[in-house]
Amino acid sequence: MKKKKILRILFVVLIILLNLIIFWKIDYSDIDTKGASFVVKLLSNKDDTYEIYYSNAGEDFTEANSQAIDYTGYAEMKKDVETSDHLEHEQSTGYQQTLEFDFPLDYDNLRFDFGRIPGKTIVYEMYIEFPGYKYEIPLTQLAEEDNFVALSNREYRSADEEPVEMFIAESDDVDSNMLIEYHKDQLLEKYKEANKSKTIVLDIIICAVMDVIAIYVLLHFFSLIDIPVEIYQNRKLAMTLAKNDFKTKYAGSYLGMIWAFIQPVVTILVYWFVFSVGLKAGNVGKYPFVLFIVVGIIPWFFFSDSLNGGTNAMTDYNYLVKKVVFNIDILPFVKVMSAFFVHCFFIGFALILCTCMGYHPTVYSIQLIYYIFCNFVFVLGLSYLSSAIVVFFRDLGQFINIFILQVGVWLTPIMWNAEAMLSPLALKIFKLNPMYYVVSGFRDSMLDKQWFWTGDRLLWTLYFWMITILVFGLGVKIFRRLKIHFADVL
């Protein structure tokens, strides 16, 4: 009884600490700095494509970090001039148009390109904007900027000389551009100030959800940890059964256990050939496409094999379920552990492949242990849930194969780069898939070199564990309630 009280007290202390950390240490205002816009109001005597480029200090400008928008005001003016009279000023330059570029605030350098055709551009306003703040870039600053290319003339006209102030730039080359000076630190500080209310609201929501789950866990604390305790107490038996399950799965075939490794390797090669060679869609930016696939698909292989095996644990071991003296609580764990043996091999294979291609293991690779644990606990909870239900509803096995495993592999960014292809809103929706967190975590550990508590990863870490605890708790509770009927049905 004393141990139970101590465990509950430790759990309450942990939840209190998590609440304090969330309120004191987590600032969501600096997590997502992609919500800014670079806005230019201009008119020109040419229809052209205007671009911005951004880079970090000491780096070159590249097409990967750029955005282009077409100016069409001159063509619209020429259409209208056929039916109405226009001022000479408008006839020479076209209509004013507002170009709004997406601009990540966490870059140091910004360059604005004045189109690809020589001509005249009149800028009336230029600023960086995000909700709650507008950072004006003075037009006089553009006229005084020393870092420009292929601009034959630059001129600032004040409001005293014209109806409005303006900056006029004339280009005589196809690559005319100039650097835009702005204060990154000041922008980031203003961004944080504008998002303080967002931080408080998110803190309250996350802590409220976490506390509700904590209360549920506290009320059912010992019923939830019964199965983990039994697994630990029967760990030798469970490991023996897992080894036998792994061996007997391929018993009778000439190659035996080698088939467990051939199938995933062939799958990887097929995906690589189809996407990289066949469809020419293998560009994932920073690293080779084959590494992108291998590192992402390995946790999915484990999830797929474990969920398939765990779902069928009761039916595969029905002869043990019918034995009164056997503790069937360990059977889903046995199936998950059996799949884990192959998983360990492929993690080693991925590390060797990354090393051969120049991505050597670093201190970030240590967190692979954490993501392996995340994957293991999540799929174990699902296995207890599905193995209990499939005894009474056999169609669940087919449903899992089709709608969770076959469809899920495409909803998880394993063969495609979600961050490059999806809008911010769609990306957040896809991240609700817990396996997105695990797959991205493997890439963060081996390729991107990111800790799981940095940036918005901390938010998704909290979300993942809330979902995992709910799934595991629900799975264990349903399994314990239904297990007394397993022998009768099987």
Side-chain angles (χ1 to χ4, degrees), residues 34-40 48-55 61-71 98-104 107 109-116 424:
K34 298 178 181 177
S37 298
F38 179 73
V39 182
V40 184
D48 205 346
T49 300
Y50 290 80
E51 286 185 90
I52 64 167
Y53 288 80
Y54 36 87
S55 71
F61 294 110
T62 63
E63 291 294 335
N65 291 334
S66 69
Q67 188 184 1
I69 298 179
D70 291 333
Y71 171 82
T98 300
L99 308 182
E100 186 171 341
F101 303 87
D102 295 328
F103 177 55
Y107 284 91
N109 301 317
L110 173 63
R111 191 184 90 186
F112 180 69
D113 283 28
F114 291 86
R116 301 167 185 173

Side-chain angles (χ1 to χ4, degrees), residues 224-286:
L224 293 176
I225 66 170
D226 273 351
I227 284 183
V229 169
E230 289 180 6
I231 290 173
Y232 177 76
Q233 292 174 343
N234 296 276
R235 59 190 180 278
K236 291 185 179 178
L237 174 61
M239 290 301 296
T240 301
L241 287 173
K243 291 176 185 176
N244 290 336
D245 183 87
F246 178 65
K247 292 176 182 177
T248 56
K249 194 180 297 183
Y250 304 97
S253 61
Y254 286 106
L255 296 179
M257 290 184 293
I258 296 176
W259 286 113
F261 309 102
I262 292 177
Q263 188 267 338
V265 169
V266 170
T267 302
I268 290 171
L269 290 175
V270 169
Y271 283 146
W272 170 79
F273 180 82
V274 169
F275 286 95
S276 185
V277 180
L279 298 178
K280 304 292 185 183
N283 181 19
V284 289
K286 295 176 286 186

Side-chain angles (χ1 to χ4, degrees), residues 120 122 149 178 342 356 362 398 431:
K120 181 168 67 173
I122 301 177
V149 175
M178 68 186 309
V342 180
C356 293
T362 63
Q398 299 301 324
K431 282 186 176 182

Side-chain angles (χ1 to χ4, degrees), residues 236-396:
K236 291 185 179 178
L237 174 61
M239 290 301 296
T240 301
L241 287 173
K243 291 176 185 176
N244 290 336
D245 183 87
F246 178 65
K247 292 176 182 177
T248 56
K249 194 180 297 183
Y250 304 97
S253 61
Y254 286 106
L255 296 179
M257 290 184 293
I258 296 176
W259 286 113
F261 309 102
I262 292 177
Q263 188 267 338
V265 169
V266 170
T267 302
I268 290 171
L269 290 175
V270 169
Y271 283 146
W272 170 79
F273 180 82
V274 169
F275 286 95
S276 185
V277 180
L279 298 178
K280 304 292 185 183
N283 181 19
V284 289
K286 295 176 286 186
Y287 30 75
F289 185 66
V290 65
L291 291 185
F292 183 84
I293 280 191
V294 169
V295 174
I297 206 169
I298 283 174
W300 182 265
F301 281 151
F302 172 66
F303 174 78
S304 177
D305 291 345
S306 297
L307 186 56
N308 257 328
T311 300
N312 298 315
M314 298 301 115
T315 53
D316 288 351
Y317 287 104
N318 62 82
Y319 58 92
L320 293 177
V321 175
K322 295 175 183 178
K323 287 183 179 292
V324 179
V325 295
F326 188 81
N327 185 356
I328 64 173
D329 291 352
I330 67 171
L331 292 180
F333 174 81
V334 167
K335 287 291 189 178
V336 175
M337 199 66 208
S338 175
F340 185 69
F341 297 141
V342 180
H343 188 49
C344 290
F345 166 80
F346 277 103
I347 289 174
F349 169 77
L351 288 171
I352 293 172
L353 181 63
C354 289
T355 302
C356 293
M357 300 189 73
Y359 293 82
H360 304 282
T362 63
V363 66
Y364 295 96
S365 303
I366 297 173
Q367 68 181 350
L368 275 174
I369 299 171
Y370 163 74
Y371 285 111
I372 292 168
F373 179 73
C374 291
N375 203 3
F376 195 98
V377 175
F378 178 65
V379 75
L380 185 62
L382 281 178
S383 296
Y384 274 103
L385 178 63
S386 60
S387 64
I389 297 175
V390 80
V391 173
F392 305 93
F393 182 62
R394 297 298 177 93
D395 290 344
L396 178 64

Side-chain angles (χ1 to χ4, degrees), residues 200-244:
I200 295 173
V201 171
L202 280 174
D203 281 345
I204 293 172
I205 292 173
I206 290 173
C207 286
V209 174
M210 183 178 67
D211 291 342
V212 168
I213 295 173
I215 292 170
Y216 172 81
V217 172
L218 196 61
L219 293 174
H220 303 85
F221 190 77
F222 294 102
S223 62
L224 293 176
I225 66 170
D226 273 351
I227 284 183
V229 169
E230 289 180 6
I231 290 173
Y232 177 76
Q233 292 174 343
N234 296 276
R235 59 190 180 278
K236 291 185 179 178
L237 174 61
M239 290 301 296
T240 301
L241 287 173
K243 291 176 185 176
N244 290 336

Side-chain angles (χ1 to χ4, degrees), residues 76 119 154 241 296 309 437 451 453:
E76 293 173 7
R154 292 178 302 146
L241 287 173
Y437 176 77
W451 295 113
W453 60 79

